[in-house]
Amino acid sequence: MNQIWGSIEQYNTVVWHWPIAVYLFLAGLSAGAIISAIVIKWMKGNDVSPSDGIIKAGSILAPVTIGAGLLLLITDLTRPLHFWKLLIHYNFGSVMTLGVLALFAYFPVVILFFMGVFKKELFETGPLQFLAPLANLALAYAKLIESVTLILAVGVGAYTGFLLSAMNSYPLFNTPVLPALFLVSGVSAGISANLVVGLLFFKSSTKDGNVSYLHGLDVKVSFVELFFLFILFVGMFYQGGSAAHVAHAALSTGGLSTLLWLGVIGLGLVLPIGLNFALPHGVKHSHGFVIFNSLIVLIGVMSLRYYILYAGQVFVG
Amino acid sequence: MAKKYGMIHDNNLCIGCQACSIACRSENEIPESVYRLQVWVKEEEYPNGTIGYEYHRQSCVQCENTPCVGVCPTKASHITEEGIVLVDVDLCVGCLYCVAACPYQARYVHPVTKAPDKCTFCHDTRLARGEEPACVTVCPTDALIFGDLNDPKSKINQALSSRVTYREKEKLGTNPKMFIVPNHKGGINS
Ligand code: SF4
Ligand code: SF4
Ligand code: SF4
């Protein structure tokens, strides 16, 4: 089809650009960081653990990453000064409204969680002391807050996938696996980020039980992620028609397919899984390796968000 | 019963002259570089071996089942009682979810308001004055027919009962109110 007259620039199918990919990454990471921190906290028992480096890392990462992501999202709106209208006008049929509501509840609870974890360091003395009652509240109702946070975090992690899968104009988005894939890879990113921050800033040691537990969990989660990625494409091939064409193009065309094979699958999934099988125990659990492993997983998850967002919009059949 | 506006684009009558597109721009004060409507051309080889041209009207098809309205978080994108899909600029935050969700690439970002804009069936301009849309009025071959789908005697319903029509991407379930009469030059007559 050719246009006869006029510019066709507005008919570009790429509507959402890289800030959205980064937002999707940060939202997933935030949810994953708090989920894995809470899991560790529950494993170790509520009273011992607040001093644990991994839990501290998660309690900081979750609010900071979601905050940064939302800031990015707002500045990326074409009418950023109107963003507050999102907070008072709802369409319960829209995934975006459901996401806004989930984030409404999620943001305060992750902050409460953070305040509970850092009560001793930040709120017992000093300028923030006036917040001590809130931190006490967070500790008193820790279990309840953590349960609610866990549910909301799963919601936040999955909604980013629903946001894209709700659109039938893009076959690569419009699959039911996407929310699960995003949730799982978000958990993977959260675990990795917790490990990096915990090991670098909170003197966690790879000898800690929870560090090696999380590190081991990361490998298992990567398997699940690989499997979901497999289902995504096989499902599209089974659908046939334009979905199959799109899947074929997305797997084999241009820089985006290179990003998928090298960045997402090679660097982010196969390399960490392979190294964790091949390397001897001593190396695998060394400080340096765990950090290296976490960094490549993070790069892989970011690449996945970028790949899905762009490939979904570029390959439309 | 409320009115339900629809439109027909007859591919046999359309000659790709772009008069509709220009009338639309003038009537609705469309800024430079964006378009509510374009007419595209595609070369077709017919079964009898002759080459012909198909014309594609590229604009909002006024879905009844509106993906763009469904995803809008603030209800800025909405559908009127008369079945016309509009954007309330005041409510729009510019998330572009609707632009992405529209399977017909009908929406663009208005360079001044920064909110999505699209064909409105001339809702605020000619329709408000009781006239037909600009593109329909100006079409030299009467390839465009506009009217109330709920009125059995309307011009559009008479045309629909006498011409074979289809709608684009029907399998998506969007139920467009834009009907297309396929080209039957060269012997296709379905
Ligand atoms: S064509 Fe696009 S903009 Fe028009 S009603 Fe359908 S989905 Fe909405
Ligand atoms: S860009 Fe505006 S009209 Fe479109 S979905 Fe977002 S808020 Fe609604
Ligand atoms: S109905 Fe009006 S707004 Fe829509 S394309 Fe025709 S002239 Fe433009």
Side-chain angles (χ1 to χ4, degrees):
Chain A
M1 209 110 67
N2 298 307
Q3 103 265 31
I4 301 172
W5 174 77
S7 155
I8 50 164
E9 205 181 327
Q10 77 185 55
Y11 302 108
N12 190 340
T13 52
V14 180
V15 176
W16 283 340
H17 291 272
W18 65 266
I20 304 292
V22 177
Y23 165 70
L24 296 173
F25 170 72
L26 291 172
L29 193 160
S30 171
I34 202 84
I35 289 171
S36 51
I38 291 175
V39 167
I40 290 292
K41 194 156 184 275
W42 284 0
M43 274 177 24
K44 297 198 76 183
N46 256 338
D47 306 320
V48 237
S49 43
S51 58
D52 186 283
I54 296 293
I55 295 166
K56 281 184 171 160
S59 77
I60 292 179
L61 278 167
V64 168
T65 51
I66 197 69
L70 287 174
L71 219 58
L72 192 65
L73 192 67
I74 290 168
T75 52
D76 192 52
L77 296 173
T78 61
R79 295 159 60 86
L81 297 178
H82 295 260
F83 89 93
W84 52 272
K85 288 173 181 158
L86 272 174
L87 310 178
I88 51 171
H89 295 282
Y90 303 128
N91 169 13
F92 292 102
S94 165
V95 179
M96 199 175 292
T97 287
L98 301 179
V100 167
L101 293 176
L103 289 166
F104 244 161
Y106 175 79
F107 209 77
V109 292
V110 289
I111 296 218
L112 267 184
F113 183 83
F114 164 81
M115 295 181 75
V117 170
F118 280 95
K119 175 173 175 272
K120 214 160 75 220
E121 288 88 338
L122 288 178
F123 305 109
E124 274 181 358
T125 52
L128 294 175
Q129 204 178 352
F130 71 98
L131 291 169
L134 216 53
N136 285 328
L137 199 79
L139 283 180
Y141 294 98
K143 192 82 185 192
L144 178 71
I145 292 171
E146 286 155 14
S147 311
V148 173
T149 310
L150 201 61
I151 295 167
L152 290 169
V154 170
V156 167
Y159 114 85
T160 54
F162 283 114
L163 199 65
L164 301 185
S165 72
M167 292 188 285
N168 63 7
S169 42
Y170 302 103
L172 187 63
F173 292 167
N174 193 220
T175 85
V177 205
L178 207 59
L181 176 65
F182 272 23
L183 178 61
V184 169
S185 69
V187 166
S188 173
I191 292 175
S192 297
N194 277 353
L195 286 171
V196 173
V197 173
L199 286 173
L200 289 182
F201 300 103
F202 294 109
K203 300 198 193 75
S204 281
S205 148
T206 48
K207 293 195 189 59
D208 294 350
N210 53 13
V211 171
S212 53
Y213 171 77
L214 272 190
H215 177 55
L217 190 65
D218 212 358
V219 179
K220 289 174 199 121
V221 171
S222 295
F223 265 116
V224 180
E225 199 183 324
L226 205 52
F227 184 57
F228 279 149
L229 211 49
F230 181 72
I231 302 180
L232 174 81
F233 285 106
V234 171
M236 288 177 75
F237 279 116
Y238 283 164
Q239 275 181 56
S242 67
H245 282 290
V246 166
H248 185 263
L251 284 171
S252 61
T253 320
L256 282 169
S257 71
T258 314
L259 180 68
L260 173 73
W261 290 108
L262 294 185
V264 180
I265 298 178
L267 193 66
L269 294 168
V270 173
L271 187 64
I273 292 174
L275 287 177
N276 278 287
F277 273 103
L279 293 176
H281 185 90
V283 183
K284 221 161 55 179
H285 290 273
S286 69
H287 192 86
F289 177 74
V290 173
I291 290 178
F292 169 76
N293 186 77
S294 301
L295 289 177
I296 57 176
V297 168
L298 282 167
I299 294 171
V301 176
M302 183 60 232
S303 307
L304 176 73
R305 296 296 191 275
Y306 189 93
Y307 168 78
I308 295 277
L309 187 73
Y310 277 90
Q313 295 178 92
V314 168
F315 303 112
V316 286
Chain B
M1 204 190 317
K3 287 182 174 15
K4 184 164 99 180
Y5 288 121
M7 194 182 280
I8 297 178
H9 178 244
D10 190 328
N11 231 323
N12 296 289
L13 299 174
C14 180
I15 53 171
C17 71
Q18 310 293 320
C20 53
S21 176
I22 289 161
C24 174
R25 303 183 63 74
S26 159
E27 182 68 49
N28 299 296
E29 293 172 15
I30 307 299
E32 217 181 312
S33 81
V34 290
Y35 300 81
R36 283 189 180 181
L37 163 66
Q38 284 192 356
V39 178
W40 293 349
V41 64
K42 191 168 74 181
E43 217 180 69
E44 281 282 303
E45 193 183 332
Y46 298 119
N48 66 3
T50 59
I51 301 284
Y53 297 97
E54 289 276 342
Y55 295 102
H56 163 78
R57 180 187 160 100
Q58 173 60 34
S59 75
C60 173
V61 297
Q62 304 286 355
C63 308
E64 261 190 288
N65 239 329
T66 44
C68 56
V69 171
V71 297
C72 177
T74 60
K75 295 197 176 147
S77 281
H78 61 282
I79 182 161
T80 68
E81 267 203 355
E82 297 166 334
I84 301 178
V85 177
L86 299 175
V87 182
D88 180 343
V89 173
D90 234 26
L91 281 180
C92 173
V93 296
C95 62
L96 307 191
Y97 206 178
C98 58
V99 180
C102 168
Y104 301 92
Q105 290 167 269
R107 295 181 166 230
Y108 56 85
V109 177
H110 192 287
V112 178
T113 65
K114 303 285 179 202
D117 194 31
K118 63 179 218 29
C119 162
T120 58
F121 273 173
C122 291
H123 177 268
D124 303 335
T125 50
R126 298 186 63 93
L127 227 53
R129 301 194 296 262
E131 296 160 338
E132 290 200 311
C135 53
V136 176
T137 317
V138 81
C139 178
T141 61
D142 284 334
L144 296 172
I145 300 169
F146 177 82
D148 178 8
L149 293 166
N150 280 341
D151 173 4
K153 289 193 288 291
S154 67
K155 242 189 338 186
I156 188 168
N157 272 331
Q158 282 166 17
L160 282 175
S161 62
S162 61
R163 306 180 203 182
V164 176
T165 56
Y166 74 97
R167 295 177 293 177
E168 287 209 307
K169 304 193 180 180
E170 239 170 320
K171 67 173 190 306
L172 295 179
T174 47
N175 254 342
K177 291 193 291 292
M178 176 72 63
F179 300 85
I180 298 153
V181 182
N183 202 325
H184 52 69
K185 290 176 207 130
I188 311 173
N189 208 341
S190 63

